[in-house]
């Protein structure tokens, strides 16, 4: 125990000498968290610019335009003459949706011949395209129901089964404003990346003693075994990154009122387990390579695509087989799965079984990695 | 090119190909990320979302509707649940995303001319999946809605030729432009390639410079020699990498290749010079690499490529507009997916040219710090 403590104190000394790395690692989770909260502050995609090509010039077309403009989702950008105008406007980022009213729309509707409104949607950004289609359908369906109701000429109680024979009631769980509120869904995963990256990068220098020969001598003088070396060093990183990471992860719940439905101890415990795995595995690699730059590059290869592979944004069920395996093999995947299930859905330990299984396998790999790295490091140090 | 500049140029070129820490990053980095991201988004669409059915009616109609839901290419019938509680448990285990509940007497009510009610339960923890399930269920129910409406209008004596216009008087037709299949790969892959290119180019330039430590030549010679060497390697590599999504993953390309290549060349030169600048600030190779890694995530988020800039608060939009990636990635998407031309992209090109001038100055200052003059 004494040796572990001595190694931990020496690691603290080493960290103090690499102040700039330490400051970056301390600031980054909090800065990321603050920045991402700012980026997703509005939570929704609103005020989509739309253009109108009105060949009908009727009271109905004007009413529909007014309804679109009054909705928080849309903002009238201007009028065009031809559907081709929309392509030019979209390329210049001036409009994302065009409403095309054909000639005689109102006249045809009054004569019970039916009419069609054409929507041109810019789907180059799928998020924008999705919001445009969903909200435009809602507004037009409302008008369509109004026209149909008028044509029936019966009371609303009788009209209901005719207008809508099957009434579908949607109950949306865990993110009730799901079509529009991206903060509940995306923000948290982004912050997790901001926690993983500094936790890894700070470790990159832990095995690099090429410019710290005195420190290396002091460390070897303690004569630690690989386990004492690993525990002593890990202790320091956990003590630093665990409270910082937890603070960053909880910021979206505090600042943007993202709902938290689960158990705080389970949430904290799940994160601690992940951080322990990350620290042990990362430390193992750092001790093995003993080169801060090489280790940083290796961590970059793992950390950068981990978020996309984690299934947090792009679902794992839509990832092809071989890449799906890679997705399950990364520890960030069970971390994000667990944290999201606990916080958004109030899941308990029993619901996290498969994720816990992956974490357990990773725990074994992490211990093996730190054994391998620690042993090689001590051998190389003693030879020197 | 003066003798000194030529010497620096040759030395730098040699290092790019011989030092494994630089060579692997610059020569393999863009392709590693491209293949990885391209693979992840290969299918491009979310399909076969697991669905549960809670059928308390057990009628011909509820079974028919279940069969229709089952036939949708976007849904997969995972299991029949007894009650919503069983579905909730499945959701928590990640085994189902949506459930359709047919209440008792569902068919009987419809046959009597009343309104039939269906309850749809949706786990919206992941908006992408929930959206697909929502639309698929809505599509199936919508089709039946129209069928039933038509039958009821016929029963009321409306002539068959008028049924359609009476049942759906005001129809909407959506024409999805630029990405009609809603392919996520076409939407995101280009942005991911842009950020990868920026990342490896900047890191390569910064690491190569800071590995050298002290430089003996004049700042001007050192800057020009290194800038030319990195540009000579990275410009063609960047152009090759940016064209691969269209070749390998068959993403549609509707615009002008020369315009995209010109923008890519500007962007790569900005990345090289900015890499020198960051190296001048950080001095140590590991610190330069880490600083650039820390910058990459917020830069991508701020670029507006995934989360649209219009949905960011005003001051964040200002910050986003200051980044070269915002202009380049936005332009790359507009050129490739929307077929935008010079007249649509001139403001973004202008922003990149201003950035290039600024980055050349900053890159020179960065290199100067490694020379005796600094």
């Amino acid at each position: 125990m004494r040796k572990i403590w001595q190694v931990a104190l020496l690691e603290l000394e080493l960290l103090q000498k690499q102040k700039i790395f330490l400051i970056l690692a301390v600031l980054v989770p909090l800065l990321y968290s603050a920045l991402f909260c700012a980026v997703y502050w509005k939570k929704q995609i609103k005020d989509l610019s739309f253009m109108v090509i009105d060949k009908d010039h009727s009271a109905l077309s004007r009413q529909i335009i007014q309804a679109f403009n009054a909705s928080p989702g849309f903002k009238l950008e201007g009028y065009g003459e031809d559907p081709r105008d929309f392509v030019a406007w979209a390329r210049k980022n001036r409009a994302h949706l065009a409403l095309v009213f054909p000639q005689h729309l109102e006249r045809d509707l009054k004569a019970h011949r039916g009419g069609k409104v054409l929507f041109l949607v810019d789907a180059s950004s799928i998020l924008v395209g999705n919001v445009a289609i969903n909200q435009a359908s809602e507004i037009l369906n409302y008008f369509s129901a109004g026209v149909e109701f008028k044509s029936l000429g019966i009371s609303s109680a009788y009209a209901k089964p005719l207008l809508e024979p099957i009434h579908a009631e949607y109950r949306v769980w865990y993110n009730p404003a799901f079509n529009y509120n991206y903060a509940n869904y995306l923000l948290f995963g982004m912050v997790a990346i901001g926690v993983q990256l500094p936790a890894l990068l700070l470790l990159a220098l832990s095995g690099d003693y090429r410019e710290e020969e005195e420190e290396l001598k002091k460390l070897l003088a303690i004569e630690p075994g690989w386990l004492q070396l690993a525990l002593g060093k890990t202790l320091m990183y956990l003590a630093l990154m665990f409270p910082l990471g937890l603070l960053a992860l909880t910021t979206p719940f505090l600042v943007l009122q993202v709902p938290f439905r689960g158990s705080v101890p389970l949430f904290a415990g799940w994160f601690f387990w992940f951080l322990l795995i990350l620290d042990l595995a990362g430390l193992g690699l750092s001790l093995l390579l003993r080169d801060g730059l090489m280790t940083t590059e290796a961590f970059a290869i793992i950390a950068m695509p981990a978020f996309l592979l984690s299934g947090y944004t792009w679902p794992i069920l839509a990832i092809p087989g071989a890449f799906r395996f890679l997705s399950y093999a990364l520890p960030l995947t069970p971390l994000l799965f667990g944290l999201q299930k606990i916080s958004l859905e109030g899941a308990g330990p029993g619901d996290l079984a498969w994720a816990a299984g992956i974490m357990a396998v990773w725990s074994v790999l992490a211990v093996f990695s730190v054994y391998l790295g620690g042993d090689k490091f001590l051998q190389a140090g003693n030879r020197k | 090119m003066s003798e000194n500049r030529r010497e620096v140029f040759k030395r730098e070129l040699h290092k790019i190909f011989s030092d494994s820490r630089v060579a692997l990053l610059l020569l393999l980095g863009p392709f590693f990320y491209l293949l990885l991201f391209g693979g992840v988004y290969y299918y491009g669409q979310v399909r076969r979302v697991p669905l549960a059915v809670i059928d308390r009616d057990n009628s011909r109609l509820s079974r028919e509707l279940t069969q229709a839901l089952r036939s949708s290419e976007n849904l997969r019938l995972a299991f029949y649940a007894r009650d919503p509680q069983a579905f909730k448990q499945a959701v928590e285990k990640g085994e189902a995303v949506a459930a359709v509940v047919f209440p008792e007497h569902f068919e009987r009510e419809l046959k009597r001319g009343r309104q039939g009610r269906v309850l749809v339960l949706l786990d919206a923890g992941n908006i992408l999946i929930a959206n697909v399930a929502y639309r698929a269920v809505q599509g199936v129910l919508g089709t039946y809605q129209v069928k039933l409406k038509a039958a009821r209008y016929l029963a009321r004596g409306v002539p068959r030729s008028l049924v359609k216009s009476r049942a759906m008087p005001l129809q909407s037709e959506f024409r999805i432009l630029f990405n009609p299949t809603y392919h996520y790969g076409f939407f995101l892959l280009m942005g991911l390639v842009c950020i990868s290119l920026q990342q490896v180019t900047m890191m390569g330039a910064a690491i190569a410079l800071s590995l050298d430590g002290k430089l003996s030549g004049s700042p001007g010679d050192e800057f020009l020699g290194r800038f030319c060497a990195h540009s000579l390697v990275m410009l063609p590599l960047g152009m090759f990498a940016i064209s691969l999504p269209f070749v390998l993953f068959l993403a549609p390309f509707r615009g002008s290749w020369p315009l995209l290549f010109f923008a890519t060349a500007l962007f790569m030169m900005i990345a090289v010079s900015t890499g020198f600048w960051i190296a001048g600030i950080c001095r140590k190779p590991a610190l330069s690499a880490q600083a650039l890694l820390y910058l990459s995530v917020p830069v991508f988020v701020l670029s507006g490529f995934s989360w649209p800039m219009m949905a960011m608060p005003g001051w964040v939009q200002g910050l986003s507009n200051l980044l070269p990636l915002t202009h380049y990635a936005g332009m790359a998407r507009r050129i490739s997916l929307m077929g935008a031309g010079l007249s649509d992209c001139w403001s973004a090109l202008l922003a990149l040219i201003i950035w290039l001038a600024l980055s050349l100055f900053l890159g020179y200052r960065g290199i100067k710090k490694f020379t005796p003059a600094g």
Side-chain angles (χ1 to χ4, degrees), chain A residues 66-126:
Chain A
Q66 207 177 0
F68 269 80
N69 205 22
S71 126
F74 297 105
K75 185 181 72 184
L76 179 62
E77 183 65 23
Y79 289 82
E81 293 298 319
D82 187 274
R84 272 171 296 190
D85 291 347
F86 174 66
V87 175
W89 285 39
R91 281 177 182 160
K92 287 192 167 65
N93 219 10
R94 279 187 67 188
H96 302 284
L97 176 77
L99 275 65
V100 185
F101 297 99
Q103 267 188 321
H104 314 310
L105 175 73
E106 192 175 34
R107 203 179 68 185
D108 287 347
L109 283 172
K110 279 183 178 162
H112 303 300
R113 282 196 291 267
K116 196 183 266 182
V117 177
L118 175 66
F119 292 98
L120 303 174
V121 183
D122 165 15
S124 62
S125 162
I126 290 183

Side-chain angles (χ1 to χ4, degrees), chain A residues 266 269-271 273-274 277 310 316 327-342 347-364, chain B residues 92-95:
Chain A
L266 183 61
W270 192 255
F271 173 58
W273 191 7
F274 166 77
I277 290 170
S310 71
I316 294 180
S327 169
Y328 282 119
L330 289 170
L332 190 70
T333 306
L335 169 84
L336 288 175
F337 173 84
L339 292 186
Q340 192 192 26
K341 287 277 167 193
I342 297 164
D351 305 311
L352 309 175
W354 72 262
I358 295 178
M359 298 271 265
V361 172
W362 260 103
S363 303
V364 175
Chain B
E92 282 165 4
K93 289 191 171 74
E95 290 165 0

Side-chain angles (χ1 to χ4, degrees), chain A residues 32 91 112 115 117 119 121 130 148 161 164-167 169 171 173 178-179 190 201 297 340-341, chain B residues 21 91 115-116 118 120 122 131 135 145 149 152-153 165 169 171 173 175 177 290 294 301 334 338:
Chain A
Y32 269 26
R91 281 177 182 160
H112 303 300
V117 177
F119 292 98
V121 183
N130 260 333
E148 196 182 348
E164 198 187 15
I166 300 177
H167 174 74
E169 184 191 337
R171 265 186 223 158
W173 290 350
F178 88 99
N179 256 336
M190 307 293 297
L201 292 185
E297 287 188 7
Q340 192 192 26
K341 287 277 167 193
Chain B
R21 289 165 294 187
V91 165
Q115 199 176 39
V118 173
V120 182
L122 206 58
N131 242 327
R135 283 210 187 151
Q145 188 91 282
K149 272 173 95 168
R152 285 183 179 181
Y153 272 104
S165 61
Q171 290 181 50
E173 182 189 334
R175 266 187 220 158
L177 304 180
Q290 293 204 0
Y294 283 136
V301 173
R334 286 212 296 279
M338 304 167 91

